[in-house]
Amino acid sequence: LQQAVVWNTGARPEGAGFMNQVVITGGGLAGQTLALALAQAGMEITLVDPRQPEPEPTPRDGRALALSWQTVCFLQSLGLEPALRDAEPLWHIQVTEGKARPLHFHARDAGPHPMGLMVDADTLQPALRKALDATRARQTRGTTPTGFQAVPGGWVVSGPDGPLAEGSLLVGADGKDSFLRRWAGIRTTRHPYNQTALVFRVTHPEPHEGRGFEHFLPSGPLALLPAPPREGIPSSSAVWTVPDSMAPDLLALDDATFSLEVSRRFPCLGPLTLCCPPRAWPLGLVWAWQTTGHRLVLVGDAARTLHPVAGQGFNLGIRHIEKLAAHLIRHHTLGLDPGATPGLRAWSRACLPSSLAMAAATHGVVALFSTHRSWPRGLGRQTMALTGAVPFLKNTLVRYAAGFSSRLT
Ligand SMILES: Cc1cc2nc3c(=O)[nH]c(=O)nc-3n(C[C@H](O)[C@H](O)[C@H](O)COP(=O)(O)OP(=O)(O)OC[C@H]3O[C@@H](n4cnc5c(N)ncnc54)[C@H](O)[C@@H]3O)c2cc1C
């Protein structure tokens, strides 16, 4: 991949043309959020993404994201309040497993706010895009970067027809298969779960009343999360995790049979009716062993991709992006070169405990519950019982999921 470097400008004077410029490769949720935070603070940003801008926001992602209260506050601070106005609050999560006593997590145990808001990725993406368009950030969309060249004082990002962008700091926000991460040779561990998440929307006779449900089936968790009513009928967003081998058969079912299959497995809210076709997301854990390099930083799924069982992947990314943005903006106000700021490694180290905790927790839950073997499920049930019996433990989990806990960055 190193051979993909196609453009060579030769030596440049230290920092020339680069000072205060940050190039972000990847304009997904993470890249756009970071770009917005930095651009609003007056930093010079270039965002590069191979995807063509959509003329109309055509729904194609299909996911409803559980945004923690901390993420919501950060997005609101960036002016995204209107995109979150119609979002459904999450007040209560009920966790069930065949034989175990249900476990209830209440937002009220952590504070006055909901645990978070349910927001469609298809709403958030264009809202970020619109907010970014209103800044001075440069956006190069529709061209795939083919290489990166380190030059004195920064990086040059090149595309098939020559240079695309240059900056003193290069940020990789290009998702779980990050080209930049591979190109930089960063050691990465990948664990395929051999599971696919089917995401869809259902209506049901009983109102959800701000409740989310996670039902652990041996084949994988089935989660229903509050969504706004559909034509007056209560509705929820669903994430049904199934073994890869099951996914094609389920996707081939007609709507009525699919609804029946989900209802058969889900114990709450009455019979479910599919109202949006399911979309499939293959799942895997990705762990980059370094998230910084020479004038280089990885954020979002490019740094850590988690199983969505706890709905925390983007929230984790935002925790780290918020800290990174604060760090870069602080140095920008002092007129310092963002790529050479001391403290990027310290930022990376500070992000490690929360990444480790979240990766271990999600991985552990999948290992305990997504299995037909009795001993891991037994252990899972014991863990559920212990969590339910120890209010401190339960409240700590609620506080952490909502982002209220400041113990881990
Ligand atoms: C089923 C499912 C449900 C989820 N639910 C939740 C939830 O409830 N709560 C939560 O917090 N998280 C959730 N997540 C996780 C969350 O969706 C991700 O963490 C988040 O979308 C990652 O955003 P990202 O910008 O890092 O990556 P991506 O969204 O993958 O964006 C990567 C971007 O990089 C671009 N790109 C690709 N290649 C290149 C290249 N070579 N150069 C430049 N750019 C490139 C792509 O076009 C894209 O725009 C869920 C994930 C899944 C799969």
Side-chain angles (χ1 to χ4, degrees), residues 224-308:
L224 255 72
L225 295 150
R230 221 175 163 84
E231 292 163 4
I233 307 172
S235 153
S236 294
S237 303
V239 184
W240 184 10
T241 304
V242 297
D244 286 342
S245 55
M246 246 173 97
D249 292 344
L250 288 169
L251 288 168
L253 296 177
D254 62 72
D255 289 6
T257 319
F258 188 91
S259 303
L260 250 151
E261 288 296 326
V262 192
S263 302
R264 209 161 59 76
R265 290 167 170 88
F266 191 71
C268 309
L269 299 175
L272 307 172
T273 307
L274 184 71
C275 58
C276 267
R279 281 158 203 267
W281 291 83
L283 304 180
L285 172 77
V286 177
W287 182 272
W289 286 87
Q290 271 172 273
T291 55
T292 53
H294 172 69
R295 292 181 175 275
L296 184 151
V297 171
L298 296 180
V299 294
D301 277 16
R304 269 97 213 217
T305 309
L306 306 180
H307 193 289

Side-chain angles (χ1 to χ4, degrees), residues 117-187:
L117 296 182
M118 294 304 306
V119 181
D120 286 341
D122 291 315
T123 304
L124 192 54
Q125 279 277 14
L128 280 165
R129 175 76 205 279
K130 198 171 152 204
L132 201 54
D133 286 347
T135 68
R136 289 181 53 233
R138 264 167 291 179
Q139 299 176 53
T140 305
R141 298 192 188 250
T143 309
T144 307
T146 51
F148 308 92
Q149 188 196 2
V151 290
W155 286 93
V156 174
V157 180
S158 45
D161 301 322
L164 288 176
E166 56 183 38
S168 111
L169 177 68
L170 188 54
V171 179
D174 48 349
K176 64 181 166 59
D177 299 318
S178 171
F179 172 59
L180 177 56
R181 187 186 65 221
R182 275 182 290 142
W183 181 87
I186 292 177
R187 186 157 76 95

Side-chain angles (χ1 to χ4, degrees), residues 331-355:
H331 285 79
H332 167 71
T333 52
L334 298 172
L336 298 174
D337 172 357
T341 55
L344 282 178
R345 280 190 175 207
W347 164 80
S348 172
R349 275 196 302 275
C351 296
L352 193 58
S354 53
S355 301

Side-chain angles (χ1 to χ4, degrees), residues 26-30 49-51 63 65-66 145 174 179 300-301 311 313-315:
L29 294 170
D49 194 292
R51 269 195 294 198
R63 286 173 300 175
L65 302 173
D174 48 349
F179 172 59
D301 277 16
F314 179 55
N315 293 319

Side-chain angles (χ1 to χ4, degrees), residues 301-373:
D301 277 16
R304 269 97 213 217
T305 309
L306 306 180
H307 193 289
V309 64
Q312 287 293 335
F314 179 55
N315 293 319
L316 182 72
I318 287 295
R319 272 171 189 258
H320 302 159
I321 283 172
E322 194 176 350
K323 300 267 180 305
L324 177 64
H327 172 83
L328 294 175
I329 293 166
R330 213 168 32 245
H331 285 79
H332 167 71
T333 52
L334 298 172
L336 298 174
D337 172 357
T341 55
L344 282 178
R345 280 190 175 207
W347 164 80
S348 172
R349 275 196 302 275
C351 296
L352 193 58
S354 53
S355 301
L356 275 173
M358 204 47 86
T362 50
H363 197 70
V365 167
V366 175
L368 289 181
F369 291 104
S370 294
T371 175
H372 287 274
R373 285 184 298 161

Side-chain angles (χ1 to χ4, degrees), residues 88-89 204 206-213 225-229 234-236 269:
E88 206 64 23
H204 35 78
E206 291 173 30
H208 53 62
E209 292 167 335
R211 282 174 301 167
F213 300 85
L225 295 150
S235 153
S236 294
L269 299 175

Side-chain angles (χ1 to χ4, degrees), residues 82-120:
L84 305 174
R85 209 165 281 151
D86 296 329
E88 206 64 23
L90 184 58
W91 289 103
H92 173 187
I93 296 179
Q94 180 176 322
V95 181
T96 46
E97 192 274 349
K99 292 180 191 157
R101 260 176 81 159
L103 184 58
H104 296 270
F105 295 101
H106 292 277
R108 62 165 188 260
D109 295 336
H113 305 290
M115 275 182 250
L117 296 182
M118 294 304 306
V119 181
D120 286 341

Side-chain angles (χ1 to χ4, degrees), residues 386-409:
L386 180 71
T387 310
V390 182
F392 171 75
L393 187 56
K394 206 167 71 159
N395 296 349
T396 304
L397 288 175
V398 176
R399 288 182 65 75
Y400 192 74
F404 297 143
S405 168
S406 56
R407 289 245 169 118
L408 299 176
T409 305

